[in-house]
Amino acid sequence: MTPAEAPGVTPTPGTTETPGATAAADPAVTPAVAPGMTRATAPRVTKATASRVTPAVTPDAPPATAPGVTPTAGALPRAAAGVATTIGRGATPTVALIGANGHGAWHRRRILSLGDRVRLVGLADVRPLTPPAPDGVPVFADHRSLLAAVRPDIVVICTPPHTHLSIALDAIAAGCDILLEKPPVASLAAHRTLLAALASAGVACQVGFQALGSEAWVRFRAALPSLGPLSGISAAASWKRDDDYYARSPWAGRRVLDGRPVIDGALANPLAHAVMQALASASAAGAGRPRQLSVERYRTRPIDVDDTAFARITFDSGLDVVVAVTLAGEDFIAGEITASGPAGSAVLEYPTDRLSLPDSATDPARERHPAPAPPAHADARAAAVSAAGTAAGTGTAARAGAGTAAGTGTAAGAGTAAGTAAGAGTAAGAGTGTRAGAGTGTNAGAGAGGYLAAGPAPSLIDVPGRTDLLTNLLDHRASGTPLLVPLSETIDFTTILEALTMPELPPPHLLNSDTVEVDGPNRTITGINAVIRAAASELALPSELGVPWARPPITRRLPVS
């Protein structure tokens, strides 16, 4: 669940990721358990057998349950009364929304905008609705009462992430197809539990990663083979979240609430779309599965989770994906996915559906436009260190002997942005490339403005067209149209999320006042955009870039499944 858009940014319809005004989130919804019932004994209703439902089935092989999850009763009046879980071709599908405040208000508007394609039959939230429910639509204080009373065909679940699994299991037991907000679940065990329940009931689950429904994503994905063997994929975003964002709900910014694990953090919640889009890009490029994660997590206020994070994910093929994001940013970076290869780079600004492809890329649907221009400053690494070093007051962001970027070659030349272009020497070489060289302690080519001031942004074009995920789910029900974001396609995201939320993971490093500028309820890491740009350019973490406030990463192998 994410807040609304930032001032001055026009979101693409269906995008929930664009930052700005805080949306209140729903507190935990605890499903009730009907006396004498367990999920194993609940009736299982499939689309194929919906017309001949019997009151109960034998629990031959109930799905494995995620640790710590107590399955709730699944026998709701719809199944027990023998009501079909799918509708006739001529009927209008019914939809209910669980979690109707906060971002749920966006889902309400979206459901109503579909007109005669669906009929809204119920809303559930533990708080009074703002704005009120439409006339004639009943409101419930808990989701199980809604499921029992209105027996919807489709349920949209927009509750706090740590409540998703239990509510989804109840909806599945009621025979509902589901649109489940991101992040879907917190662990691989929960992911498998949900997949097994879906398969047993014969219902569908679409996950709310809206940007995967855009035409810009389709064209970006189709262009990847034209780039040649990829050298890397990056995701970069710089947003702003104030103190009110972390006060909007008891679980915001926390890892545990009332002894129960909860899910939040820049990578896990507001910028989860950046992670998913980057993972989907790697999968589309044939990189296999993610096998190793190295992550640096930082915070600018006394919360339990990160508001700034850098992650490098290594796949089976050896491809590295780097995600560099912050909620304490300077200039706004909406969210950019960059894939680079010998033939150039493709850039997708996923919240706004804007795209840049090199002329060599295969994209017959577009007119040719300039490839992303490399920054005039070749030394992105030094620029980030310079900006961060100045912010920290250390003066250690040296490359004292390097002079201007023009003296060490441009990014278009051979070598990397670390100064390894032919004739420039390596980043550790004397005279031209050392990060810690003696002298002035500043970077002559970058200055405090860092990487962002060094060169033009990619030339992006608008790519209209985004398929709404609820509309896609309706088409799937009606005619078998493939789901755009089925739960099974989000397994890599769950793998990363589980690694980021392990109980034994230490808290993010708290940055001090030398690094963080406080302006009322806002906090800004001075120089952070330069660090984000450098990390994305070099596929490196801040500690590897020599950023003064950085801490060594936590690295872990990811499970093979």
Side-chain angles (χ1 to χ4, degrees), residues 4-381:
E5 66 273 8
V9 177
T10 302
T12 303
T15 301
T16 62
E17 181 182 80
T18 317
T22 300
D26 304 311
V29 179
T30 303
V33 180
M37 295 297 297
T38 66
R39 183 164 304 283
T41 59
R44 292 294 182 187
V45 184
T46 67
K47 296 184 186 301
T49 61
S51 61
R52 54 181 191 275
V53 176
T54 55
V57 295
T58 303
D60 295 325
T65 303
V69 175
T70 301
T72 58
L76 295 168
R78 177 182 196 176
V83 178
T85 62
T86 56
I87 58 174
R89 293 280 182 176
T92 299
T94 57
V95 62
L97 172 61
I98 299 172
N101 279 315
H103 182 55
W106 180 91
H107 280 288
R108 281 197 261 166
R109 294 190 298 271
R110 184 59 192 157
I111 292 166
L112 294 174
S113 76
L114 295 178
D116 293 339
R117 284 217 64 182
V118 294
R119 182 163 58 92
L120 180 62
V121 294
L123 302 168
D125 206 286
V126 296
R127 298 171 300 170
L129 294 193
T130 305
D135 290 342
V137 177
V139 179
F140 301 85
D142 72 275
H143 73 279
R144 297 197 79 246
S145 296
L146 177 149
L147 292 171
V150 303
R151 302 182 301 213
D153 298 305
I154 299 171
V155 169
V156 179
I157 299 173
C158 187
T159 60
H162 58 279
T163 69
H164 283 182
L165 178 61
S166 58
I167 296 174
L169 290 175
D170 283 340
I172 291 168
C176 304
D177 291 320
I178 298 171
L179 174 56
L180 180 63
E181 262 296 350
K182 59 81 191 165
V185 289
S187 69
L188 288 171
H191 200 109
R192 288 189 287 267
T193 295
L194 195 51
L195 284 172
L198 291 166
S200 178
V203 296
C205 178
Q206 178 106 282
V207 181
F209 287 109
Q210 294 93 340
L212 292 173
S214 74
E215 177 63 21
W217 160 245
V218 172
R219 288 166 59 175
F220 177 87
R221 182 182 60 199
L224 293 177
S226 302
L227 303 177
L230 295 185
S231 55
I233 294 171
S234 66
S238 178
W239 292 7
K240 182 78 74 180
R241 289 290 179 270
D242 62 14
D243 291 341
D244 288 345
Y245 176 78
Y246 294 100
R248 75 193 191 278
S249 178
W251 61 270
R254 303 301 167 204
R255 296 179 65 181
V256 177
L257 179 65
D258 298 329
R260 182 182 183 185
V262 297
I263 305 168
D264 203 10
L267 292 171
N269 193 9
L271 287 160
H273 290 280
V275 178
M276 183 64 204
Q277 208 78 26
L279 294 172
S281 300
S283 178
R289 296 292 311 282
R291 295 305 179 204
Q292 181 169 289
L293 171 70
S294 295
V295 62
E296 298 179 19
R297 299 157 58 246
Y298 304 95
R299 52 189 169 139
T300 60
R301 47 175 58 84
I303 55 177
D304 299 338
V305 299
D306 54 85
D307 59 28
T308 300
F310 300 81
R312 182 170 55 229
I313 305 159
T314 304
F315 281 73
D316 283 325
S317 68
L319 180 72
D320 281 338
V321 170
V322 166
V323 181
V325 299
T326 186
L327 302 178
E330 298 168 315
D331 294 335
F332 177 59
I333 303 172
E336 299 170 4
I337 307 298
T338 303
S340 300
S345 295
V347 180
L348 170 65
E349 192 175 76
Y350 63 87
T352 61
D353 295 345
R354 298 199 300 161
L355 182 65
S356 177
L357 300 176
D359 285 338
S360 59
T362 301
D363 182 23
R366 60 119 170 106
E367 294 182 3
R368 293 185 179 276
H369 55 278
H377 187 327
D379 200 349
R381 179 189 300 255

